[in-house]
Amino acid sequence: MSHNDVIIIGAGLSGIGAGYHLQRYCPDRSYLILEARSRLGGTWDKFRYPGIRSDSDMYTFGYSFKPWNAPKTISDGPSILAYLQETADDYGITDRIRFNRRMIAAHWSTRTATWTVTVEVTEDRPAHDEHDDVHGNGGTGTTDHPETRTVIRTERHTANFLMMCSGYYSYAAGYQPTFEGQDDFAGPIIHPQDWPAYLDYAGKNVAVIGSGATAVTLLPALAEDAAHVTMIQRSPGYLLSRPSADPAARLLKRFLPDSWAHRIIRRRNIRLGTLLYNRTRTDPDRVKAFLINGVRKGLNPDIDVDRHFTPRYNPWDQRLCLIPDGDLFDALNSGKASVVTDHVDRFVPEGVRMASGDIVEADIIVTATGLQLVTLGEADFFVDDDRVDFSRTWTYKGLAYSDIPNMVSVFGYINQSWTLRSDMISRYLCRLLNHMAETGADIVVPRLRPSDHDMTPRPWIDDFSSGYMQRMMPLLPRQGDREPWLNTQRYERDVELIAKADVADDVLQFSAPERVPTGSGRR
């Protein structure tokens, strides 16, 4: 059993960033990163489907402390993974990571003011052979699919503080609805989260079910080699085309050091992203017209924009889909790809039959049907032997939970770059730890004030109708109707609520173990 001041769960974008901040602002604190998989990178190593890329600009999606120097602002997955690996290596973070450690439980003890984290230590089995069946959910060809990992033992690690950087979706499997007749389909059915490395789609007809970021990424990437790609959607989403390389960034880098140019472009992009989102709240019709007009300009006039690219909801009620260099439009204009807007009736041997009776012929079906959300890494949590039900807790500033001691978790933005918020939370944790050291406190816990007990509960995230989020909302913590029991999802508000506010307030209770009252209930 090892002991550290802080245990970080997850060695992806957030976990690596947290490691940097602890080293920079709390150099006297020891930390350990526990990673369930055999490699760092999280999402950017897990997802291997064709065309995988960021849907945020890399000047805000990259770290504030590590300039993004690659030419493309909207970057591909391998480049992002290389950036994360370089960051971890440059700052000595890689040496703090213990791979193949999947957290299954965390127990808090008030008596000792420590978390005990139980992990399964796993090893990888060989990947599936290229001749394995890929029909249905079988034969993913990846070494991190659940059936390809063997538990060899359990370990326990203790820490005074726990930082959850495990993301918000299940790595075990994506969201896979059951389609009538799917066993009748003659070809493979693939979910992008488990894309087989050996899948050959060259010269074949591919049907992609979905209209979100994954689907609009896959369509142009698959169209390069497939005979034809059809995106099947129940309803359209919003699209925004932007250059993959930022001309202003190129110009600034000619005259300024990379670090200066990075800061300037990052601030500009934060402001532009904030302005766009705020405008969708105050003048959604104008933003809707702007976005749809951009689609009309990008597509041939014979493509029905009203039917296929005019959503029924307002912008940013669901995520905007970023289209680098108009690649989706190029694929559709070329005739190598098309869109069908209709409900799926059933799968048939030759493809997908729609509610209209039309059949989309396919040799391969890709179900880009979304993610399966989880609460804090799918582990069990206990506080002094009482199991924690996070759906009954209140979120504290969107980073901690009522009556849960010495724990911070990272959930980024759905309407801007994830890293803007993960960086802010990591910096907040360091301020909190330093305050505790200065005041001699070992324990900090958010507790409702007497005046907070009449709060009206609201969902973890408001005004966001995407199915993957709505499916999980009942299991997530609640927001209140007043500060600090909010998850604002607004960068400018979080700057005031998290980055600038004093860490000591009338909600956080600081103490040492012997001064902590026993038997206090959790609401």
Side-chain angles (χ1 to χ4, degrees), residues 307-329:
R307 177 172 177 78
H308 300 306
F309 298 102
T310 303
R312 296 192 293 264
Y313 55 89
N314 285 328
W316 272 125
D317 286 356
Q318 299 182 24
R319 271 191 83 91
L320 298 183
C321 292
L322 194 60
I323 310 299
D325 300 321
D327 61 358
L328 178 74
F329 303 151

Side-chain angles (χ1 to χ4, degrees), residues 32-71:
L32 183 69
I33 302 177
L34 300 176
E35 168 55 49
R37 304 175 67 250
S38 58
R39 298 173 297 272
L40 63 74
T43 296
W44 301 104
D45 184 71
K46 167 68 176 173
F47 284 85
R48 302 293 183 93
Y49 59 81
I52 174 69
R53 54 172 168 75
S54 66
D55 61 353
S56 301
D57 75 276
M58 290 305 301
Y59 289 97
T60 58
F61 193 69
Y63 297 117
S64 58
F65 58 86
K66 173 77 171 174
W68 175 258
N69 293 322

Side-chain angles (χ1 to χ4, degrees), residues 327-339:
D327 61 358
L328 178 74
F329 303 151
D330 292 342
L332 293 169
N333 291 337
S334 71
K336 290 274 289 179
S338 58
V339 178

